[in-house]
Amino acid sequence: MRTTVGIIGAGPAGLLLARLLHRAGIDSVVLESRDRAHVEQRQRAGVLEQGTVDALRAAGAGERMDREGLRHDGIELRFDGRRHRVDFPGRTGGRSVTVYAQTEVCKDLIALQLAEGGPLLFEAEALGVEGAESDRPRVRFRRQGTEDELECRYVVGCDGFWGVARKAFPASVTRVFERSYPYAWLGILADVAPSHDELVYARHDRGFALLSLRSPSVSRLYLQVPAATRAEEWTDDRTWTELESRFETRDGWTLRRGPVTQKSVTPMRSFVHEPMRHGRLFLAGDAAHIVPPTGAKGLNLAVGDAITLARALAYEKETDSAALLDAYSATCLRRVWQAERFSYDLTTLLHRAPGATAFDARLQLARLERIASSRAAETDLAEAYTGLWA
Ligand code: APR
Ligand code: PHB
């Protein structure tokens, strides 16, 4: 098999890249190791920055998002029994975010790709990338028990944190920056209307909690738990009771309970692989970087990479100049490190680290108090949350 751009992975990075390339008249083949149902059912994040919304619309993939996505003009910070709302448009000159689940973004992009785009092969597992430094890099893959090769002009690893593309970077050119956190998130999906119409980020002496949503009738909630926790350790009743304590306010706010339909534990990690390009091999999305989920930046970073790379490939096609391709890694890494910084700050602001002292707790409260009482500090949070690029 041959193509211009070989894309490994059909998450948001790979799917949006394929879509944008198709619109630019550049052909591609997407190899995805899992089946379609698995990719469309995975529970992931759900907050889209304005730039992500604009990009999906411009790619012709915004129709259902515009109908079903929910515009959110703020978040609530909850600490010390208090509630503080951050007004996004008021602090950022009009920016907001849209709540629309990542799985729905993927479903929309898959449907478009299958109807109009180049081949999207499910259950096609990339085994390795060869010849990254040559003119014709190749992806070895296995499909229906048979090994095959995809010969390309460029290969893009959009294969997530556990993918294979990164392994084709020689150790001599690679630097990895990493931090794992001594806690994780227990996430539940519940068939109950969200107890608040905006996301609530709660800092409590017992640990962090987050109230989010998937639709007006489905709540998504998270609890900070110790790193090695198994979801089975948390019965529904224990989970709701713990959520209630962490969301508690002095004004008598109540949390609505409902049937839990899904429960899982997500580890927390920061990770950056530099550079994001070697020869004719590029990395995009989680394959190159991970942020802890607190800032809701993972999906938005993946979209940012896909846009930057699609633009660079289209520019090369039109002008024969590789200038934007040469700048790809540095362009993306600037944004990635801003997202790493923001996600780290928000994570350490709101989570209780094991062994945290009373001093640490008071500092967290002072940082929150600062956001609640300073226009400048609140603007800093609102700008980063709604998007680091416009
Ligand atoms: N061959 C083919 N496909 C692969 C391989 C492989 N060897 N390894 C992994 N994949 C596929 C996975 O099955 C998955 O569908 O690559 C895809 C990677 O998708 P994501 O993990 O969704 O990564 P990305 O597109 O970068 O999107 C980042 O996902 O994890 C969340 O929080 C993160 O929201 C962010 C987003
Ligand atoms: C989610 O709805 O899954 C979600 C929302 C906000 C976050 C993280 C996850 O910061």
mmCIF file of all heavy atoms in Angstrom, residues 13 40 86 101 104 109 143 146 162 185 203 205 208 224 247 281 301-302 309 341 350 362:
data_model
loop_
_atom_site.group_PDB
_atom_site.id
_atom_site.type_symbol
_atom_site.label_atom_id
_atom_site.label_comp_id
_atom_site.label_asym_id
_atom_site.label_seq_id
_atom_site.Cartn_x
_atom_site.Cartn_y
_atom_site.Cartn_z
ATOM 1 N N ALA A 13 -6.590 13.316 17.270
ATOM 2 C CA ALA A 13 -5.451 13.853 16.507
ATOM 3 C C ALA A 13 -5.426 13.263 15.100
ATOM 4 O O ALA A 13 -5.400 13.988 14.097
ATOM 5 C CB ALA A 13 -4.132 13.585 17.234
ATOM 6 N N GLU A 40 -15.400 4.414 19.433
ATOM 7 C CA GLU A 40 -16.550 5.309 19.594
ATOM 8 C C GLU A 40 -17.148 5.257 20.994
ATOM 9 O O GLU A 40 -17.993 6.086 21.331
ATOM 10 C CB GLU A 40 -17.615 4.975 18.537
ATOM 11 C CG GLU A 40 -17.132 5.316 17.134
ATOM 12 C CD GLU A 40 -18.216 5.212 16.083
ATOM 13 O OE1 GLU A 40 -19.237 4.549 16.333
ATOM 14 O OE2 GLU A 40 -18.036 5.810 15.004
ATOM 15 N N VAL A 86 -16.007 31.846 38.074
ATOM 16 C CA VAL A 86 -15.111 32.552 37.156
ATOM 17 C C VAL A 86 -15.889 32.793 35.874
ATOM 18 O O VAL A 86 -16.345 31.843 35.222
ATOM 19 C CB VAL A 86 -13.836 31.723 36.859
ATOM 20 C CG1 VAL A 86 -12.925 32.462 35.899
ATOM 21 C CG2 VAL A 86 -13.101 31.387 38.160
ATOM 22 N N ALA A 101 -18.604 15.814 24.276
ATOM 23 C CA ALA A 101 -17.661 14.740 24.630
ATOM 24 C C ALA A 101 -16.718 14.371 23.484
ATOM 25 O O ALA A 101 -17.100 14.377 22.319
ATOM 26 C CB ALA A 101 -18.436 13.505 25.066
ATOM 27 N N GLU A 104 -17.897 11.868 21.070
ATOM 28 C CA GLU A 104 -18.815 12.382 20.049
ATOM 29 C C GLU A 104 -18.033 13.051 18.918
ATOM 30 O O GLU A 104 -18.373 12.900 17.746
ATOM 31 C CB GLU A 104 -19.821 13.368 20.664
ATOM 32 C CG GLU A 104 -20.597 12.815 21.856
ATOM 33 C CD GLU A 104 -21.316 11.500 21.544
ATOM 34 O OE1 GLU A 104 -21.876 11.374 20.446
ATOM 35 O OE2 GLU A 104 -21.291 10.588 22.404
ATOM 36 N N LEU A 109 -16.136 12.608 13.267
ATOM 37 C CA LEU A 109 -15.008 12.581 12.327
ATOM 38 C C LEU A 109 -14.903 11.229 11.613
ATOM 39 O O LEU A 109 -14.554 11.160 10.433
ATOM 40 C CB LEU A 109 -13.702 12.906 13.062
ATOM 41 C CG LEU A 109 -13.532 14.375 13.496
ATOM 42 C CD1 LEU A 109 -12.365 14.529 14.465
ATOM 43 C CD2 LEU A 109 -13.330 15.293 12.277
ATOM 44 N N ARG A 143 -3.019 -6.748 9.876
ATOM 45 C CA ARG A 143 -4.474 -6.660 9.727
ATOM 46 C C ARG A 143 -5.000 -8.028 9.340
ATOM 47 O O ARG A 143 -4.460 -8.650 8.426
ATOM 48 C CB ARG A 143 -4.803 -5.638 8.637
ATOM 49 C CG ARG A 143 -6.257 -5.324 8.533
ATOM 50 C CD ARG A 143 -6.462 -3.992 7.821
ATOM 51 N NE ARG A 143 -7.870 -3.717 7.676
ATOM 52 C CZ ARG A 143 -8.502 -3.755 6.514
ATOM 53 N NH1 ARG A 143 -7.863 -4.059 5.396
ATOM 54 N NH2 ARG A 143 -9.794 -3.480 6.462
ATOM 55 N N THR A 146 -2.526 -10.776 8.899
ATOM 56 C CA THR A 146 -1.488 -10.680 7.873
ATOM 57 C C THR A 146 -0.666 -9.403 8.062
ATOM 58 O O THR A 146 -1.222 -8.349 8.347
ATOM 59 C CB THR A 146 -2.135 -10.609 6.462
ATOM 60 O OG1 THR A 146 -3.081 -11.657 6.376
ATOM 61 C CG2 THR A 146 -1.101 -10.733 5.368
ATOM 62 N N TRP A 162 0.523 5.049 24.488
ATOM 63 C CA TRP A 162 1.032 3.670 24.441
ATOM 64 C C TRP A 162 1.416 3.249 23.030
ATOM 65 O O TRP A 162 1.650 2.068 22.770
ATOM 66 C CB TRP A 162 -0.032 2.703 25.018
ATOM 67 C CG TRP A 162 -0.407 3.086 26.406
ATOM 68 C CD1 TRP A 162 -1.559 3.706 26.794
ATOM 69 C CD2 TRP A 162 0.391 2.935 27.590
ATOM 70 N NE1 TRP A 162 -1.529 3.945 28.156
ATOM 71 C CE2 TRP A 162 -0.349 3.479 28.664
ATOM 72 C CE3 TRP A 162 1.655 2.397 27.852
ATOM 73 C CZ2 TRP A 162 0.121 3.510 29.979
ATOM 74 C CZ3 TRP A 162 2.130 2.420 29.155
ATOM 75 C CH2 TRP A 162 1.368 2.970 30.195
ATOM 76 N N TRP A 185 -7.689 9.754 39.379
ATOM 77 C CA TRP A 185 -9.102 10.156 39.403
ATOM 78 C C TRP A 185 -9.985 8.929 39.245
ATOM 79 O O TRP A 185 -9.791 8.137 38.321
ATOM 80 C CB TRP A 185 -9.425 11.105 38.238
ATOM 81 C CG TRP A 185 -9.039 12.533 38.430
ATOM 82 C CD1 TRP A 185 -8.235 13.052 39.398
ATOM 83 C CD2 TRP A 185 -9.444 13.636 37.604
ATOM 84 N NE1 TRP A 185 -8.114 14.406 39.223
ATOM 85 C CE2 TRP A 185 -8.849 14.791 38.129
ATOM 86 C CE3 TRP A 185 -10.252 13.750 36.463
ATOM 87 C CZ2 TRP A 185 -9.030 16.055 37.561
ATOM 88 C CZ3 TRP A 185 -10.431 15.003 35.888
ATOM 89 C CH2 TRP A 185 -9.826 16.146 36.441
ATOM 90 N N ARG A 203 -11.795 22.025 45.884
ATOM 91 C CA ARG A 203 -10.625 21.712 46.721
ATOM 92 C C ARG A 203 -11.135 21.455 48.138
ATOM 93 O O ARG A 203 -11.854 22.263 48.708
ATOM 94 C CB ARG A 203 -9.657 22.896 46.724
ATOM 95 C CG ARG A 203 -8.376 22.638 47.491
ATOM 96 C CD ARG A 203 -8.340 23.425 48.792
ATOM 97 N NE ARG A 203 -7.280 22.909 49.665
ATOM 98 C CZ ARG A 203 -7.486 22.545 50.922
ATOM 99 N NH1 ARG A 203 -8.672 22.622 51.484
ATOM 100 N NH2 ARG A 203 -6.496 22.077 51.633
ATOM 101 N N ASP A 205 -10.137 19.325 52.095
ATOM 102 C CA ASP A 205 -9.085 18.640 52.863
ATOM 103 C C ASP A 205 -9.074 17.136 52.592
ATOM 104 O O ASP A 205 -8.045 16.484 52.733
ATOM 105 C CB ASP A 205 -9.268 18.889 54.367
ATOM 106 C CG ASP A 205 -8.812 20.300 54.756
ATOM 107 O OD1 ASP A 205 -8.018 20.896 53.987
ATOM 108 O OD2 ASP A 205 -9.256 20.810 55.810
ATOM 109 N N PHE A 208 -9.539 16.378 46.006
ATOM 110 C CA PHE A 208 -10.211 17.090 44.913
ATOM 111 C C PHE A 208 -11.486 16.374 44.464
ATOM 112 O O PHE A 208 -11.587 15.155 44.547
ATOM 113 C CB PHE A 208 -9.225 17.164 43.746
ATOM 114 C CG PHE A 208 -9.796 17.641 42.445
ATOM 115 C CD1 PHE A 208 -10.113 18.975 42.266
ATOM 116 C CD2 PHE A 208 -10.018 16.758 41.389
ATOM 117 C CE1 PHE A 208 -10.632 19.431 41.059
ATOM 118 C CE2 PHE A 208 -10.538 17.202 40.179
ATOM 119 C CZ PHE A 208 -10.839 18.535 40.021
ATOM 120 N N GLN A 224 -10.644 12.584 43.487
ATOM 121 C CA GLN A 224 -9.227 12.226 43.680
ATOM 122 C C GLN A 224 -9.159 10.980 44.563
ATOM 123 O O GLN A 224 -9.802 10.925 45.616
ATOM 124 C CB GLN A 224 -8.492 13.378 44.374
ATOM 125 C CG GLN A 224 -7.050 13.031 44.697
ATOM 126 C CD GLN A 224 -6.369 14.068 45.591
ATOM 127 O OE1 GLN A 224 -6.874 15.181 45.778
ATOM 128 N NE2 GLN A 224 -5.223 13.681 46.143
ATOM 129 N N PHE A 247 -17.994 18.308 47.964
ATOM 130 C CA PHE A 247 -18.691 19.434 47.324
ATOM 131 C C PHE A 247 -19.455 20.301 48.334
ATOM 132 O O PHE A 247 -20.085 21.283 47.959
ATOM 133 C CB PHE A 247 -19.690 18.940 46.267
ATOM 134 C CG PHE A 247 -19.045 18.478 44.986
ATOM 135 C CD1 PHE A 247 -19.256 17.204 44.492
ATOM 136 C CD2 PHE A 247 -18.224 19.334 44.263
ATOM 137 C CE1 PHE A 247 -18.669 16.782 43.307
ATOM 138 C CE2 PHE A 247 -17.629 18.922 43.074
ATOM 139 C CZ PHE A 247 -17.850 17.645 42.596
ATOM 140 N N LEU A 281 9.065 11.595 10.043
ATOM 141 C CA LEU A 281 8.118 11.089 11.051
ATOM 142 C C LEU A 281 7.730 12.217 12.012
ATOM 143 O O LEU A 281 8.601 12.898 12.562
ATOM 144 C CB LEU A 281 8.774 9.934 11.830
ATOM 145 C CG LEU A 281 8.047 9.446 13.082
ATOM 146 C CD1 LEU A 281 6.667 8.863 12.733
ATOM 147 C CD2 LEU A 281 8.890 8.373 13.791
ATOM 148 N N LEU A 301 -5.011 20.092 22.930
ATOM 149 C CA LEU A 301 -3.632 20.031 22.429
ATOM 150 C C LEU A 301 -3.550 19.140 21.187
ATOM 151 O O LEU A 301 -2.852 19.467 20.220
ATOM 152 C CB LEU A 301 -2.696 19.478 23.501
ATOM 153 C CG LEU A 301 -2.266 20.419 24.622
ATOM 154 C CD1 LEU A 301 -1.335 19.680 25.577
ATOM 155 C CD2 LEU A 301 -1.568 21.662 24.069
ATOM 156 N N ALA A 302 -4.251 18.014 21.229
ATOM 157 C CA ALA A 302 -4.238 17.094 20.080
ATOM 158 C C ALA A 302 -4.778 17.815 18.844
ATOM 159 O O ALA A 302 -4.224 17.704 17.740
ATOM 160 C CB ALA A 302 -5.079 15.850 20.393
ATOM 161 N N LEU A 309 0.003 20.748 11.840
ATOM 162 C CA LEU A 309 0.645 19.850 10.868
ATOM 163 C C LEU A 309 -0.070 19.882 9.519
ATOM 164 O O LEU A 309 0.578 19.904 8.462
ATOM 165 C CB LEU A 309 0.679 18.423 11.442
ATOM 166 C CG LEU A 309 1.486 17.414 10.640
ATOM 167 C CD1 LEU A 309 2.894 17.925 10.327
ATOM 168 C CD2 LEU A 309 1.574 16.081 11.394
ATOM 169 N N ARG A 341 2.186 23.733 31.992
ATOM 170 C CA ARG A 341 2.264 24.652 33.130
ATOM 171 C C ARG A 341 0.886 24.854 33.752
ATOM 172 O O ARG A 341 0.689 24.722 34.954
ATOM 173 C CB ARG A 341 2.817 26.009 32.659
ATOM 174 C CG ARG A 341 2.802 27.103 33.716
ATOM 175 C CD ARG A 341 2.965 28.505 33.113
ATOM 176 N NE ARG A 341 1.833 28.921 32.299
ATOM 177 C CZ ARG A 341 0.669 29.378 32.761
ATOM 178 N NH1 ARG A 341 0.463 29.469 34.059
ATOM 179 N NH2 ARG A 341 -0.297 29.734 31.944
ATOM 180 N N LEU A 350 -5.481 22.195 43.557
ATOM 181 C CA LEU A 350 -6.748 21.601 43.995
ATOM 182 C C LEU A 350 -6.622 20.225 44.647
ATOM 183 O O LEU A 350 -7.553 19.768 45.307
ATOM 184 C CB LEU A 350 -7.700 21.507 42.798
ATOM 185 C CG LEU A 350 -8.095 22.859 42.168
ATOM 186 C CD1 LEU A 350 -8.787 22.652 40.819
ATOM 187 C CD2 LEU A 350 -9.010 23.650 43.097
ATOM 188 N N ARG A 362 -3.002 25.632 53.777
ATOM 189 C CA ARG A 362 -3.235 27.082 53.873
ATOM 190 C C ARG A 362 -2.763 27.802 52.601
ATOM 191 O O ARG A 362 -3.408 28.733 52.129
ATOM 192 C CB ARG A 362 -2.498 27.667 55.074
ATOM 193 C CG ARG A 362 -3.209 27.478 56.389
ATOM 194 C CD ARG A 362 -4.419 28.438 56.504
ATOM 195 N NE ARG A 362 -4.927 28.461 57.852
ATOM 196 C CZ ARG A 362 -5.778 27.566 58.368
ATOM 197 N NH1 ARG A 362 -6.222 26.570 57.611
ATOM 198 N NH2 ARG A 362 -6.157 27.652 59.619
#
